[in-house]
Amino acid sequence: MAEQTTTINNAPANVEVDTSYENDSSYGDELSSYSASLTSSVLDYRHENGRRYHKFRDGSYLLPNDETENDRLDIFHELCLTLLHRKLYLAPIKNPQRVIDLGTGTGIWAIDFADQHPEAEVIGCDLSPVQPTMVPPNVKFLVDDIESEWAYESDPFDFIHARFLTISIRDFGKLIKQCYRSVKPGGWVEFQEWDGYPMSPDGSLNGTALQQYYDEVWGAFEEAGYEVSPGPKLEQWFKEAGFVNIHVEKFLLPYGVWPKDPHLKKVGAWNQTQAEANGFEATALAPLTRFKKWTKEEVIVLASKARADGRNRNIHMMFDFYVVYGQRPEN
Ligand SMILES: C[S@@+](CC[C@H](N)C(=O)[O-])C[C@H]1O[C@@H](n2cnc3c(N)ncnc32)[C@H](O)[C@@H]1O
């Protein structure tokens, strides 16, 4: 296998705008599944600005864990499946027996993976115990902090998966080294992450409230020490950790239905749908109120303006999204 390949996977270099929308208004419990005991220290959630946040390692993750947010994460899952043509992962894994999903969120990826691989034991790990309880028998969920030291080196995995830990993690390099030490020789690690900075092929994003939103919110995350753009750096972190057979696949991820290409249009529709599920507020509230001393009302105004710009068919915003996987050498 080649050492690395980088491709833009789903689109021509120039993304064409679909102008046919000019006049179209449609644009628009079982507790035993947890190995950690669900003590009040885990379940006594923080409530702030009308949203609910995790309690275990209070304050270390800045997005809510309430039903609204969990619905958004499930929509994001559909966005990823659409983007990757219904594939849950791209690494060439074979007959995995032991698998972990880092920062599993609602556990939807882990549940789908367990359904597809009944032979595998699948662990979903998160700060928040928000996963469903009616799950396949080969999945279990753990409450744990993946930025702390791991205890898996003596019982390593065949496959370690992480998706959308952008704005969650401070030190991706350290995390990817932990993955290396906790995957079997010959096993695979895959990360699916954003380049959080949006762009527009025609400059239509410049000077908009959407641009202001990302400048303000990503600025606050970065000042607080979080990585907002891990996607383009994953390859280097995988190399530094010692992985081989590293593959980098870059996907264009538009926002909204402005692209003419039907696949990109569908992806863009899902992206807008997840952001409109209160995503702008959910992402901005804690960093701007906790670290930049904005009021809740100020954040809501910025988020509303960003959402309105997102509905403007003349603003052609898109992101890069990276899927990177690598193998621990056999020897
Ligand atoms: C944006 S969500 C993505 C969820 C899921 N991976 C997906 O793709 O749908 C990020 C998740 O990572 C979890 N998380 C953030 N920091 C974490 C940490 N240090 N340890 C464990 N989980 C963490 C959050 O609780 C949240 O559920």
Side-chain angles (χ1 to χ4, degrees), residues 27 210 255-256 272 276 305-312 315:
Y27 193 84
L210 260 178
Y255 183 98
Q272 182 169 1
E276 294 225 357
K305 286 182 178 166
R307 191 169 44 242
D309 271 358
R311 292 175 186 170
N312 180 342
I315 298 176

Side-chain angles (χ1 to χ4, degrees), residues 54 56-57 60-65 69-70 72-77 80 101-109 125-131 142-148 150 161-170 175 192-194 226 321:
H54 71 98
F56 177 68
R57 300 284 154 89
S60 64
Y61 175 59
L62 300 180
L63 273 70
N65 72 355
E69 177 65 0
N70 294 339
R72 184 176 80 87
L73 291 181
D74 285 349
I75 297 169
F76 176 76
H77 181 65
C80 291
D101 181 34
L102 307 176
T104 195
T106 64
I108 192 166
W109 184 94
C125 172
D126 204 280
L127 295 170
S128 287
V130 294
Q131 301 77 28
L142 304 178
V143 175
D144 212 344
D145 178 0
I146 55 173
E147 292 206 275
S148 299
W150 294 10
H161 171 266
R163 186 179 72 187
F164 194 178
L165 298 183
T166 305
I167 61 171
S168 291
I169 298 297
R170 290 182 161 89
L175 179 64
Q192 303 186 359
E193 293 297 340
W194 298 80
Y226 294 90
F321 191 79

Side-chain angles (χ1 to χ4, degrees), residues 8 15 47 75 83 138 141 146 219 241 255 275 290 311 314:
I8 294 182
V15 182
H47 292 267
I75 297 169
L83 187 67
N138 55 331
F141 294 111
I146 55 173
Y255 183 98
R290 288 184 203 174
R311 292 175 186 170
N314 295 316

Side-chain angles (χ1 to χ4, degrees), residues 165-187:
L165 298 183
T166 305
I167 61 171
S168 291
I169 298 297
R170 290 182 161 89
D171 192 342
F172 269 87
K174 179 180 167 208
L175 179 64
I176 289 167
K177 285 181 181 145
Q178 291 257 38
C179 292
Y180 184 88
R181 294 195 296 273
S182 302
V183 72
K184 292 176 188 169

Side-chain angles (χ1 to χ4, degrees), residues 34-101:
Y34 294 95
S35 75
S37 61
L38 297 183
T39 60
S40 59
S41 66
V42 171
L43 288 170
D44 184 16
Y45 294 130
R46 180 202 281 229
H47 292 267
E48 188 179 273
N49 293 320
R51 303 300 300 257
R52 194 187 74 184
Y53 295 87
H54 71 98
K55 183 65 180 174
F56 177 68
R57 300 284 154 89
D58 184 25
S60 64
Y61 175 59
L62 300 180
L63 273 70
N65 72 355
D66 49 29
E67 284 307 313
T68 309
E69 177 65 0
N70 294 339
D71 288 347
R72 184 176 80 87
L73 291 181
D74 285 349
I75 297 169
F76 176 76
H77 181 65
E78 185 54 36
L79 160 58
C80 291
L81 288 179
T82 306
L83 187 67
L84 303 186
H85 300 281
R86 312 312 297 175
K87 289 184 183 148
L88 285 173
Y89 56 87
L90 301 183
I93 54 171
K94 288 193 187 77
N95 192 27
Q97 300 296 306
R98 207 169 131 70
V99 176
I100 189 165
D101 181 34

Side-chain angles (χ1 to χ4, degrees), residues 73-302:
L73 291 181
D74 285 349
I75 297 169
F76 176 76
H77 181 65
E78 185 54 36
L79 160 58
C80 291
L81 288 179
T82 306
L83 187 67
L84 303 186
H85 300 281
R86 312 312 297 175
K87 289 184 183 148
L88 285 173
Y89 56 87
L90 301 183
I93 54 171
K94 288 193 187 77
N95 192 27
Q97 300 296 306
R98 207 169 131 70
V99 176
I100 189 165
D101 181 34
L102 307 176
T104 195
T106 64
I108 192 166
W109 184 94
I111 292 166
D112 279 3
F113 187 94
D115 274 334
Q116 285 181 16
H117 297 271
E119 76 286 359
E121 173 205 10
V122 183
I123 297 174
C125 172
D126 204 280
L127 295 170
S128 287
V130 294
Q131 301 77 28
T133 52
M134 300 290 284
V135 296
N138 55 331
V139 191
K140 73 173 176 180
F141 294 111
L142 304 178
V143 175
D144 212 344
D145 178 0
I146 55 173
E147 292 206 275
S148 299
E149 289 305 310
W150 294 10
Y152 295 121
E153 287 172 33
S154 56
D155 193 9
F157 298 97
D158 299 282
F159 184 40
I160 299 179
H161 171 266
R163 186 179 72 187
F164 194 178
L165 298 183
T166 305
I167 61 171
S168 291
I169 298 297
R170 290 182 161 89
D171 192 342
F172 269 87
K174 179 180 167 208
L175 179 64
I176 289 167
K177 285 181 181 145
Q178 291 257 38
C179 292
Y180 184 88
R181 294 195 296 273
S182 302
V183 72
K184 292 176 188 169
W188 292 89
V189 175
E190 176 166 323
F191 275 57
Q192 303 186 359
E193 293 297 340
W194 298 80
D195 179 344
Y197 285 104
M199 54 194 166
S200 52
D202 53 2
S204 56
L205 188 59
N206 299 342
T208 63
L210 260 178
Q211 181 76 68
Q212 188 203 351
Y213 173 90
Y214 285 103
D215 289 347
E216 298 284 0
V217 179
W218 283 178
F221 272 102
E222 282 179 337
E223 270 185 46
Y226 294 90
E227 179 59 66
V228 306
S229 242
K233 304 174 195 160
L234 287 170
E235 179 182 9
Q236 185 60 27
W237 288 322
F238 271 63
K239 280 183 181 164
E240 285 166 5
F243 287 101
V244 296
N245 295 325
I246 299 168
H247 280 247
V248 180
E249 302 208 12
K250 184 167 94 170
F251 295 84
L252 293 183
L253 183 35
Y255 183 98
V257 295
W258 59 265
K260 190 172 182 182
D261 174 83
H263 174 70
L264 290 179
K265 187 187 287 290
K266 197 168 172 186
V267 170
W270 279 117
N271 197 12
Q272 182 169 1
T273 304
Q274 65 85 21
E276 294 225 357
N278 258 321
F280 286 110
E281 290 86 346
T283 307
L285 263 173
L288 291 183
T289 60
R290 288 184 203 174
F291 302 118
K292 307 295 273 184
K293 304 300 168 212
W294 287 42
T295 63
K296 174 185 173 186
E297 291 68 29
E298 287 169 333
V299 177
I300 287 173
V301 169
L302 177 67

